[in-house]
Short mmCIF file of all heavy atoms in Angstrom, two decimals:
data_model
loop_
_atom_site.label_atom_id
_atom_site.label_comp_id
_atom_site.label_asym_id
_atom_site.label_seq_id
_atom_site.Cartn_x
_atom_site.Cartn_y
_atom_site.Cartn_z
N MET A 683 -93.39 51.05 -112.59
CA MET A 683 -92.40 50.27 -111.87
C MET A 683 -91.38 49.75 -112.89
O MET A 683 -91.75 49.25 -113.94
CB MET A 683 -93.09 49.12 -111.16
CG MET A 683 -92.16 48.29 -110.33
SD MET A 683 -92.98 47.06 -109.31
CE MET A 683 -94.07 48.07 -108.35
N THR A 684 -90.11 49.88 -112.55
CA THR A 684 -89.07 49.45 -113.48
C THR A 684 -88.82 47.95 -113.37
O THR A 684 -89.26 47.29 -112.42
CB THR A 684 -87.74 50.18 -113.20
OG1 THR A 684 -87.20 49.70 -111.97
CG2 THR A 684 -87.92 51.68 -113.15
N GLU A 685 -88.08 47.43 -114.32
CA GLU A 685 -87.72 46.01 -114.35
C GLU A 685 -86.94 45.62 -113.08
O GLU A 685 -87.09 44.51 -112.58
CB GLU A 685 -86.88 45.75 -115.59
CG GLU A 685 -86.41 44.33 -115.76
CD GLU A 685 -85.55 44.16 -117.00
OE1 GLU A 685 -85.82 44.83 -118.02
OE2 GLU A 685 -84.61 43.38 -116.94
N LEU A 686 -86.11 46.52 -112.57
CA LEU A 686 -85.32 46.22 -111.38
C LEU A 686 -86.13 46.37 -110.09
O LEU A 686 -85.80 45.76 -109.08
CB LEU A 686 -84.07 47.10 -111.33
CG LEU A 686 -83.06 46.83 -112.44
CD1 LEU A 686 -81.96 47.88 -112.41
CD2 LEU A 686 -82.48 45.44 -112.32
N GLN A 687 -87.19 47.16 -110.11
CA GLN A 687 -88.03 47.32 -108.92
C GLN A 687 -89.00 46.16 -108.75
O GLN A 687 -89.35 45.80 -107.63
CB GLN A 687 -88.82 48.62 -109.01
CG GLN A 687 -87.99 49.86 -108.90
CD GLN A 687 -88.79 51.11 -109.23
OE1 GLN A 687 -89.67 51.09 -110.09
NE2 GLN A 687 -88.48 52.20 -108.54
N ALA A 688 -89.45 45.60 -109.84
CA ALA A 688 -90.50 44.57 -109.81
C ALA A 688 -90.18 43.39 -108.88
O ALA A 688 -91.04 42.99 -108.10
CB ALA A 688 -90.80 44.08 -111.22
N PRO A 689 -88.98 42.80 -108.92
CA PRO A 689 -88.72 41.67 -108.02
C PRO A 689 -88.82 42.04 -106.54
O PRO A 689 -89.17 41.20 -105.72
CB PRO A 689 -87.29 41.24 -108.37
CG PRO A 689 -87.05 41.77 -109.73
CD PRO A 689 -87.85 43.04 -109.82
N HIS A 690 -88.55 43.28 -106.20
CA HIS A 690 -88.61 43.70 -104.80
C HIS A 690 -90.05 43.92 -104.36
O HIS A 690 -90.37 43.79 -103.18
CB HIS A 690 -87.78 44.96 -104.58
CG HIS A 690 -86.34 44.76 -104.87
ND1 HIS A 690 -85.50 44.06 -104.03
CD2 HIS A 690 -85.59 45.12 -105.93
CE1 HIS A 690 -84.29 44.03 -104.55
NE2 HIS A 690 -84.32 44.65 -105.71
N ALA A 691 -90.92 44.27 -105.28
CA ALA A 691 -92.33 44.52 -104.95
C ALA A 691 -93.16 43.25 -105.01
O ALA A 691 -94.18 43.15 -104.34
CB ALA A 691 -92.90 45.56 -105.90
N ARG A 692 -92.73 42.26 -105.77
CA ARG A 692 -93.52 41.04 -105.97
C ARG A 692 -93.89 40.33 -104.68
O ARG A 692 -95.05 39.95 -104.52
CB ARG A 692 -92.77 40.09 -106.92
CG ARG A 692 -93.62 38.92 -107.38
CD ARG A 692 -92.91 38.07 -108.44
NE ARG A 692 -92.58 38.86 -109.61
CZ ARG A 692 -91.32 39.11 -110.02
NH1 ARG A 692 -90.30 38.62 -109.37
NH2 ARG A 692 -91.09 39.84 -111.08
N PRO A 693 -92.99 40.14 -103.72
CA PRO A 693 -93.40 39.43 -102.49
C PRO A 693 -94.53 40.13 -101.75
O PRO A 693 -95.41 39.48 -101.19
CB PRO A 693 -92.13 39.40 -101.64
CG PRO A 693 -91.02 39.53 -102.62
CD PRO A 693 -91.56 40.42 -103.73
N GLY A 694 -94.53 41.44 -101.74
CA GLY A 694 -95.61 42.17 -101.09
C GLY A 694 -96.93 41.98 -101.79
O GLY A 694 -97.97 41.84 -101.15
N ARG A 695 -96.91 41.96 -103.11
CA ARG A 695 -98.14 41.78 -103.87
C ARG A 695 -98.69 40.37 -103.69
O ARG A 695 -99.89 40.18 -103.50
CB ARG A 695 -97.92 42.09 -105.34
CG ARG A 695 -97.75 43.57 -105.62
CD ARG A 695 -97.89 43.88 -107.09
NE ARG A 695 -97.12 43.01 -107.95
CZ ARG A 695 -95.88 43.25 -108.35
NH1 ARG A 695 -95.27 44.32 -107.96
NH2 ARG A 695 -95.26 42.41 -109.15
N THR A 696 -97.82 39.36 -103.74
CA THR A 696 -98.31 37.99 -103.61
C THR A 696 -98.62 37.64 -102.16
O THR A 696 -99.63 37.01 -101.89
CB THR A 696 -97.28 36.99 -104.19
OG1 THR A 696 -96.04 37.16 -103.53
CG2 THR A 696 -97.11 37.19 -105.68
N GLY A 697 -97.79 38.06 -101.22
CA GLY A 697 -98.04 37.80 -99.81
C GLY A 697 -99.20 38.60 -99.28
O GLY A 697 -99.89 38.18 -98.35
N GLY A 698 -99.43 39.76 -99.85
CA GLY A 698 -100.52 40.61 -99.40
C GLY A 698 -101.88 39.97 -99.61
O GLY A 698 -102.85 40.31 -98.92
N ALA A 699 -101.97 39.03 -100.53
CA ALA A 699 -103.24 38.36 -100.79
C ALA A 699 -103.68 37.51 -99.60
O ALA A 699 -104.84 37.17 -99.47
CB ALA A 699 -103.12 37.50 -102.04
N ALA A 700 -102.73 37.18 -98.71
CA ALA A 700 -103.04 36.33 -97.55
C ALA A 700 -103.58 37.12 -96.37
O ALA A 700 -103.99 36.53 -95.38
CB ALA A 700 -101.78 35.57 -97.13
N VAL A 701 -103.58 38.44 -96.45
CA VAL A 701 -104.06 39.27 -95.35
C VAL A 701 -105.17 40.19 -95.84
O VAL A 701 -105.47 40.24 -97.04
CB VAL A 701 -102.91 40.10 -94.73
CG1 VAL A 701 -101.86 39.20 -94.11
CG2 VAL A 701 -102.27 41.00 -95.77
N LEU A 702 -105.78 40.94 -94.94
CA LEU A 702 -106.91 41.80 -95.31
C LEU A 702 -106.50 43.18 -95.81
O LEU A 702 -107.33 43.89 -96.37
CB LEU A 702 -107.84 41.96 -94.11
CG LEU A 702 -108.54 40.67 -93.66
CD1 LEU A 702 -109.34 40.93 -92.40
CD2 LEU A 702 -109.43 40.13 -94.76
N TYR A 703 -105.26 43.57 -95.65
CA TYR A 703 -104.83 44.91 -96.06
C TYR A 703 -105.22 45.27 -97.49
O TYR A 703 -105.73 46.37 -97.73
CB TYR A 703 -103.32 45.08 -95.92
CG TYR A 703 -102.85 45.31 -94.51
CD1 TYR A 703 -102.04 44.38 -93.88
CD2 TYR A 703 -103.18 46.46 -93.81
CE1 TYR A 703 -101.60 44.58 -92.58
CE2 TYR A 703 -102.75 46.68 -92.53
CZ TYR A 703 -101.96 45.74 -91.91
OH TYR A 703 -101.52 45.93 -90.63
N PRO A 704 -105.01 44.39 -98.48
CA PRO A 704 -105.34 44.78 -99.86
C PRO A 704 -106.82 45.05 -100.09
O PRO A 704 -107.19 45.68 -101.08
CB PRO A 704 -104.88 43.58 -100.69
CG PRO A 704 -103.87 42.89 -99.85
CD PRO A 704 -104.32 43.11 -98.43
N LEU A 705 -107.67 44.60 -99.19
CA LEU A 705 -109.11 44.81 -99.36
C LEU A 705 -109.56 46.17 -98.84
O LEU A 705 -110.65 46.63 -99.15
CB LEU A 705 -109.89 43.71 -98.64
CG LEU A 705 -109.58 42.28 -99.10
CD1 LEU A 705 -110.37 41.28 -98.26
CD2 LEU A 705 -109.88 42.11 -100.57
N ALA A 706 -108.71 46.81 -98.05
CA ALA A 706 -109.07 48.09 -97.45
C ALA A 706 -108.93 49.24 -98.44
O ALA A 706 -108.06 49.23 -99.30
CB ALA A 706 -108.18 48.35 -96.24
N ASN A 707 -109.79 50.22 -98.30
CA ASN A 707 -109.69 51.44 -99.08
C ASN A 707 -108.94 52.44 -98.19
O ASN A 707 -109.54 53.26 -97.52
CB ASN A 707 -111.08 51.95 -99.46
CG ASN A 707 -111.01 53.09 -100.42
OD1 ASN A 707 -110.01 53.29 -101.10
ND2 ASN A 707 -112.07 53.87 -100.49
N SER A 708 -107.63 52.33 -98.13
CA SER A 708 -106.84 52.99 -97.11
C SER A 708 -105.63 53.74 -97.68
O SER A 708 -105.12 53.40 -98.75
CB SER A 708 -106.34 51.93 -96.13
OG SER A 708 -105.38 52.43 -95.26
N TRP A 709 -105.16 54.73 -96.92
CA TRP A 709 -103.94 55.44 -97.26
C TRP A 709 -102.76 54.47 -97.30
O TRP A 709 -101.78 54.71 -97.97
CB TRP A 709 -103.66 56.56 -96.24
CG TRP A 709 -103.43 56.04 -94.86
CD1 TRP A 709 -104.39 55.87 -93.88
CD2 TRP A 709 -102.21 55.57 -94.29
NE1 TRP A 709 -103.84 55.34 -92.75
CE2 TRP A 709 -102.48 55.14 -92.97
CE3 TRP A 709 -100.91 55.46 -94.76
CZ2 TRP A 709 -101.51 54.62 -92.13
CZ3 TRP A 709 -99.94 54.93 -93.91
CH2 TRP A 709 -100.25 54.53 -92.62
N TYR A 710 -102.87 53.36 -96.58
CA TYR A 710 -101.79 52.38 -96.50
C TYR A 710 -101.47 51.81 -97.88
O TYR A 710 -100.36 51.39 -98.15
CB TYR A 710 -102.21 51.26 -95.55
CG TYR A 710 -101.06 50.44 -95.02
CD1 TYR A 710 -100.21 50.96 -94.05
CD2 TYR A 710 -100.83 49.15 -95.48
CE1 TYR A 710 -99.16 50.21 -93.56
CE2 TYR A 710 -99.79 48.40 -94.98
CZ TYR A 710 -98.96 48.94 -94.02
OH TYR A 710 -97.92 48.20 -93.54
N LEU A 711 -102.45 51.80 -98.74
CA LEU A 711 -102.28 51.29 -100.10
C LEU A 711 -102.17 52.42 -101.12
O LEU A 711 -102.06 52.16 -102.32
CB LEU A 711 -103.45 50.39 -100.49
CG LEU A 711 -103.65 49.15 -99.63
CD1 LEU A 711 -104.93 48.46 -100.03
CD2 LEU A 711 -102.47 48.22 -99.76
N GLY A 712 -102.24 53.64 -100.66
CA GLY A 712 -102.17 54.78 -101.57
C GLY A 712 -103.53 55.25 -102.06
O GLY A 712 -103.61 56.03 -103.01
N SER A 713 -104.59 54.80 -101.42
CA SER A 713 -105.94 55.17 -101.86
C SER A 713 -106.24 56.65 -101.71
O SER A 713 -107.16 57.16 -102.33
CB SER A 713 -106.99 54.37 -101.07
OG SER A 713 -106.84 53.01 -101.32
N ASN A 714 -105.48 57.34 -100.89
CA ASN A 714 -105.73 58.77 -100.66
C ASN A 714 -105.09 59.66 -101.72
O ASN A 714 -105.24 60.87 -101.67
CB ASN A 714 -105.22 59.17 -99.27
CG ASN A 714 -103.73 58.96 -99.12
OD1 ASN A 714 -103.20 58.00 -99.67
ND2 ASN A 714 -103.06 59.81 -98.37
N VAL A 715 -104.38 59.08 -102.69
CA VAL A 715 -103.72 59.87 -103.73
C VAL A 715 -104.38 59.54 -105.07
O VAL A 715 -104.22 58.42 -105.59
CB VAL A 715 -102.21 59.55 -103.79
CG1 VAL A 715 -101.53 60.37 -104.86
CG2 VAL A 715 -101.56 59.77 -102.44
N PRO A 716 -105.15 60.47 -105.62
CA PRO A 716 -105.84 60.21 -106.89
C PRO A 716 -104.85 59.80 -107.99
O PRO A 716 -103.81 60.42 -108.17
CB PRO A 716 -106.49 61.56 -107.22
CG PRO A 716 -106.62 62.26 -105.91
CD PRO A 716 -105.43 61.82 -105.10
N GLY A 717 -105.18 58.73 -108.69
CA GLY A 717 -104.36 58.26 -109.79
C GLY A 717 -103.21 57.35 -109.39
O GLY A 717 -102.57 56.75 -110.25
N LYS A 718 -102.93 57.24 -108.10
CA LYS A 718 -101.83 56.38 -107.64
C LYS A 718 -102.30 54.93 -107.63
O LYS A 718 -103.39 54.62 -107.15
CB LYS A 718 -101.40 56.79 -106.23
CG LYS A 718 -100.25 55.98 -105.69
CD LYS A 718 -99.82 56.49 -104.33
CE LYS A 718 -98.66 55.66 -103.80
NZ LYS A 718 -98.26 56.10 -102.46
N PRO A 719 -101.49 54.02 -108.16
CA PRO A 719 -101.89 52.61 -108.13
C PRO A 719 -101.96 52.10 -106.69
O PRO A 719 -101.13 52.46 -105.87
CB PRO A 719 -100.79 51.88 -108.90
CG PRO A 719 -99.80 52.88 -109.33
CD PRO A 719 -100.21 54.22 -108.81
N ARG A 720 -102.96 51.28 -106.41
CA ARG A 720 -103.08 50.67 -105.09
C ARG A 720 -102.11 49.48 -105.03
O ARG A 720 -102.30 48.49 -105.74
CB ARG A 720 -104.51 50.20 -104.84
CG ARG A 720 -105.48 51.35 -104.68
CD ARG A 720 -106.91 50.87 -104.60
NE ARG A 720 -107.09 49.63 -103.90
CZ ARG A 720 -107.41 49.53 -102.59
NH1 ARG A 720 -107.60 50.61 -101.89
NH2 ARG A 720 -107.55 48.35 -102.03
N VAL A 721 -101.08 49.59 -104.18
CA VAL A 721 -100.05 48.57 -104.11
C VAL A 721 -99.73 48.26 -102.65
O VAL A 721 -99.55 49.17 -101.85
CB VAL A 721 -98.76 49.04 -104.83
CG1 VAL A 721 -97.68 47.99 -104.75
CG2 VAL A 721 -99.05 49.39 -106.27
N PHE A 722 -99.67 46.97 -102.32
CA PHE A 722 -99.28 46.53 -100.98
C PHE A 722 -97.79 46.20 -101.04
O PHE A 722 -97.39 45.22 -101.65
CB PHE A 722 -100.09 45.29 -100.58
CG PHE A 722 -99.82 44.81 -99.20
CD1 PHE A 722 -100.35 45.47 -98.11
CD2 PHE A 722 -99.03 43.69 -98.98
CE1 PHE A 722 -100.12 45.03 -96.82
CE2 PHE A 722 -98.79 43.24 -97.70
CZ PHE A 722 -99.33 43.91 -96.61
N LEU A 723 -96.95 47.02 -100.41
CA LEU A 723 -95.51 46.84 -100.51
C LEU A 723 -94.81 46.22 -99.29
O LEU A 723 -93.70 45.73 -99.43
CB LEU A 723 -94.83 48.17 -100.84
CG LEU A 723 -95.07 48.67 -102.26
CD1 LEU A 723 -94.41 50.03 -102.46
CD2 LEU A 723 -94.56 47.68 -103.28
N PRO A 724 -95.41 46.22 -98.10
CA PRO A 724 -94.68 45.64 -96.97
C PRO A 724 -94.36 44.17 -97.21
O PRO A 724 -95.14 43.43 -97.82
CB PRO A 724 -95.65 45.77 -95.79
CG PRO A 724 -96.57 46.85 -96.18
CD PRO A 724 -96.68 46.79 -97.68
N TYR A 725 -93.19 43.74 -96.75
CA TYR A 725 -92.79 42.34 -96.87
C TYR A 725 -93.32 41.58 -95.67
O TYR A 725 -93.01 41.94 -94.53
CB TYR A 725 -91.27 42.22 -96.96
CG TYR A 725 -90.85 40.80 -97.19
CD1 TYR A 725 -90.92 40.25 -98.46
CD2 TYR A 725 -90.43 40.00 -96.15
CE1 TYR A 725 -90.57 38.93 -98.69
CE2 TYR A 725 -90.07 38.68 -96.37
CZ TYR A 725 -90.15 38.16 -97.63
OH TYR A 725 -89.81 36.85 -97.85
N ILE A 726 -94.11 40.55 -95.90
CA ILE A 726 -94.69 39.80 -94.78
C ILE A 726 -94.22 38.34 -94.77
O ILE A 726 -94.86 37.48 -94.19
CB ILE A 726 -96.22 39.87 -94.80
CG1 ILE A 726 -96.80 39.31 -96.10
CG2 ILE A 726 -96.69 41.29 -94.57
CD1 ILE A 726 -98.31 39.16 -96.06
N GLY A 727 -93.07 38.08 -95.39
CA GLY A 727 -92.55 36.72 -95.47
C GLY A 727 -91.71 36.29 -94.28
O GLY A 727 -91.18 35.19 -94.26
N GLY A 728 -91.55 37.17 -93.29
CA GLY A 728 -90.77 36.82 -92.11
C GLY A 728 -89.38 37.42 -92.15
O GLY A 728 -88.81 37.65 -93.22
N VAL A 729 -88.84 37.69 -90.98
CA VAL A 729 -87.56 38.37 -90.89
C VAL A 729 -86.40 37.54 -91.44
O VAL A 729 -85.48 38.07 -92.04
CB VAL A 729 -87.28 38.85 -89.44
CG1 VAL A 729 -86.98 37.68 -88.52
CG2 VAL A 729 -86.17 39.87 -89.40
N GLY A 730 -86.44 36.23 -91.26
CA GLY A 730 -85.38 35.37 -91.79
C GLY A 730 -85.29 35.41 -93.30
O GLY A 730 -84.20 35.55 -93.88
N ALA A 731 -86.44 35.30 -93.95
CA ALA A 731 -86.47 35.36 -95.41
C ALA A 731 -86.08 36.74 -95.90
O ALA A 731 -85.36 36.87 -96.90
CB ALA A 731 -87.87 34.99 -95.92
N TYR A 732 -86.53 37.79 -95.20
CA TYR A 732 -86.17 39.15 -95.59
C TYR A 732 -84.67 39.37 -95.49
O TYR A 732 -84.05 39.96 -96.37
CB TYR A 732 -86.92 40.16 -94.71
CG TYR A 732 -86.67 41.59 -95.11
CD1 TYR A 732 -87.26 42.11 -96.25
CD2 TYR A 732 -85.83 42.40 -94.35
CE1 TYR A 732 -87.03 43.43 -96.62
CE2 TYR A 732 -85.60 43.71 -94.73
CZ TYR A 732 -86.20 44.23 -95.86
OH TYR A 732 -85.96 45.51 -96.23
N ARG A 733 -84.07 38.85 -94.43
CA ARG A 733 -82.62 38.98 -94.25
C ARG A 733 -81.87 38.26 -95.37
O ARG A 733 -80.87 38.77 -95.88
CB ARG A 733 -82.21 38.43 -92.88
CG ARG A 733 -80.72 38.46 -92.61
CD ARG A 733 -80.22 39.91 -92.66
NE ARG A 733 -78.79 39.97 -92.63
CZ ARG A 733 -78.09 40.40 -91.59
NH1 ARG A 733 -78.69 40.80 -90.50
NH2 ARG A 733 -76.79 40.45 -91.65
N ALA A 734 -82.35 37.10 -95.78
CA ALA A 734 -81.72 36.36 -96.88
C ALA A 734 -81.78 37.17 -98.17
O ALA A 734 -80.81 37.21 -98.94
CB ALA A 734 -82.39 35.00 -97.05
N ILE A 735 -82.92 37.81 -98.42
CA ILE A 735 -83.05 38.65 -99.61
C ILE A 735 -82.09 39.82 -99.55
O ILE A 735 -81.40 40.14 -100.53
CB ILE A 735 -84.51 39.15 -99.76
CG1 ILE A 735 -85.42 37.98 -100.09
CG2 ILE A 735 -84.60 40.24 -100.82
CD1 ILE A 735 -86.90 38.31 -99.97
N CYS A 736 -82.01 40.46 -98.38
CA CYS A 736 -81.09 41.60 -98.21
C CYS A 736 -79.64 41.17 -98.43
O CYS A 736 -78.87 41.88 -99.08
CB CYS A 736 -81.25 42.22 -96.83
SG CYS A 736 -82.84 43.06 -96.60
N ASP A 737 -79.27 40.01 -97.89
CA ASP A 737 -77.91 39.51 -98.06
C ASP A 737 -77.60 39.23 -99.52
O ASP A 737 -76.50 39.52 -100.00
CB ASP A 737 -77.69 38.24 -97.23
CG ASP A 737 -77.64 38.51 -95.73
OD1 ASP A 737 -77.48 39.68 -95.33
OD2 ASP A 737 -77.79 37.54 -94.96
N GLU A 738 -78.57 38.69 -100.24
CA GLU A 738 -78.38 38.40 -101.66
C GLU A 738 -78.20 39.69 -102.46
O GLU A 738 -77.32 39.78 -103.32
CB GLU A 738 -79.59 37.62 -102.19
CG GLU A 738 -79.49 37.28 -103.66
CD GLU A 738 -80.71 36.53 -104.16
OE1 GLU A 738 -81.40 35.89 -103.35
OE2 GLU A 738 -80.98 36.62 -105.37
N VAL A 739 -79.02 40.69 -102.18
CA VAL A 739 -78.91 41.98 -102.86
C VAL A 739 -77.55 42.61 -102.58
O VAL A 739 -76.89 43.12 -103.49
CB VAL A 739 -80.06 42.93 -102.43
CG1 VAL A 739 -79.82 44.34 -102.91
CG2 VAL A 739 -81.39 42.41 -102.95
N ALA A 740 -77.09 42.54 -101.33
CA ALA A 740 -75.78 43.10 -100.98
C ALA A 740 -74.66 42.34 -101.68
O ALA A 740 -73.71 42.95 -102.19
CB ALA A 740 -75.59 43.04 -99.47
N ALA A 741 -74.77 41.02 -101.75
CA ALA A 741 -73.74 40.21 -102.41
C ALA A 741 -73.63 40.51 -103.90
O ALA A 741 -72.57 40.36 -104.50
CB ALA A 741 -74.02 38.72 -102.19
N GLU A 742 -74.74 40.96 -104.49
CA GLU A 742 -74.75 41.29 -105.92
C GLU A 742 -74.40 42.75 -106.17
O GLU A 742 -74.62 43.28 -107.26
CB GLU A 742 -76.12 40.97 -106.52
CG GLU A 742 -76.42 39.48 -106.54
CD GLU A 742 -77.80 39.17 -107.06
OE1 GLU A 742 -78.55 40.11 -107.43
OE2 GLU A 742 -78.15 37.99 -107.11
N GLY A 743 -73.86 43.42 -105.15
CA GLY A 743 -73.43 44.80 -105.32
C GLY A 743 -74.57 45.79 -105.39
O GLY A 743 -74.45 46.84 -106.00
N TYR A 744 -75.69 45.46 -104.76
CA TYR A 744 -76.86 46.34 -104.73
C TYR A 744 -77.38 46.67 -106.13
O TYR A 744 -77.71 47.81 -106.44
CB TYR A 744 -76.58 47.61 -103.93
CG TYR A 744 -76.28 47.29 -102.48
CD1 TYR A 744 -74.96 47.15 -102.05
CD2 TYR A 744 -77.30 47.08 -101.59
CE1 TYR A 744 -74.69 46.82 -100.72
CE2 TYR A 744 -77.03 46.75 -100.26
CZ TYR A 744 -75.73 46.64 -99.85
OH TYR A 744 -75.45 46.30 -98.54
N LYS A 745 -77.47 45.64 -106.97
CA LYS A 745 -77.96 45.81 -108.33
C LYS A 745 -79.33 46.49 -108.31
O LYS A 745 -80.22 46.09 -107.57
CB LYS A 745 -78.09 44.44 -109.00
CG LYS A 745 -78.61 44.49 -110.42
CD LYS A 745 -78.72 43.10 -111.00
CE LYS A 745 -79.33 43.15 -112.37
NZ LYS A 745 -79.51 41.82 -112.94
N GLY A 746 -79.47 47.52 -109.11
CA GLY A 746 -80.72 48.25 -109.21
C GLY A 746 -80.81 49.44 -108.27
O GLY A 746 -81.74 50.23 -108.36
N PHE A 747 -79.84 49.58 -107.37
CA PHE A 747 -79.83 50.72 -106.45
C PHE A 747 -78.87 51.78 -106.97
O PHE A 747 -77.82 51.46 -107.53
CB PHE A 747 -79.36 50.28 -105.06
CG PHE A 747 -80.38 49.51 -104.29
CD1 PHE A 747 -80.54 48.14 -104.48
CD2 PHE A 747 -81.20 50.14 -103.36
CE1 PHE A 747 -81.48 47.43 -103.77
CE2 PHE A 747 -82.14 49.43 -102.64
CZ PHE A 747 -82.27 48.07 -102.86
N ARG A 748 -79.22 53.01 -106.75
CA ARG A 748 -78.30 54.12 -107.05
C ARG A 748 -77.67 54.51 -105.73
O ARG A 748 -78.38 54.81 -104.77
CB ARG A 748 -79.05 55.31 -107.62
CG ARG A 748 -79.57 55.06 -109.00
CD ARG A 748 -80.16 56.34 -109.56
NE ARG A 748 -80.92 56.00 -110.74
CZ ARG A 748 -82.01 56.60 -111.11
NH1 ARG A 748 -82.50 57.60 -110.38
NH2 ARG A 748 -82.64 56.24 -112.19
N THR A 749 -76.36 54.51 -105.70
CA THR A 749 -75.66 54.90 -104.47
C THR A 749 -74.82 56.14 -104.73
O THR A 749 -74.36 56.37 -105.84
CB THR A 749 -74.76 53.75 -103.97
OG1 THR A 749 -73.84 53.39 -105.00
CG2 THR A 749 -75.58 52.53 -103.60
N ALA A 750 -74.63 56.90 -103.69
CA ALA A 750 -73.82 58.13 -103.79
C ALA A 750 -72.44 57.86 -103.22
O ALA A 750 -72.29 57.12 -102.26
CB ALA A 750 -74.49 59.27 -103.03
N GLY A 751 -71.47 58.46 -103.81
CA GLY A 751 -70.13 58.38 -103.24
C GLY A 751 -69.26 57.48 -103.91
O GLY A 751 -68.63 56.81 -104.33
#
């Protein structure tokens, strides 16, 4: 994971501790791919908080994203 990807993945890792998903041995976490790290990536902080994060990323010119065109 790159330095620019880490902040986007952090909420899923920390919020995932509050639910049972990280305890499962499931394809949802990548368990079906040998050698793949088990990572909980869905954002579970609520739609309002997610929208605020998206707005901030857009306001910063999509820092860390590669865009075409």
Side-chain angles (χ1 to χ4, degrees):
M683 183 172 303
T684 70
E685 179 182 324
L686 293 172
Q687 291 170 325
H690 298 286
R692 190 173 301 116
R695 288 195 312 269
T696 57
V701 296
L702 295 175
Y703 282 115
L705 301 178
N707 188 21
S708 169
W709 62 268
Y710 199 74
L711 299 173
S713 297
N714 61 325
V715 180
K718 181 177 180 182
R720 291 173 37 94
V721 180
F722 183 77
L723 289 177
Y725 184 79
I726 59 171
V729 71
Y732 183 75
R733 177 60 190 251
I735 291 168
C736 292
D737 289 344
E738 180 181 335
V739 169
E742 293 177 1
Y744 297 95
K745 179 180 176 183
F747 286 83
R748 290 187 193 145
T749 57

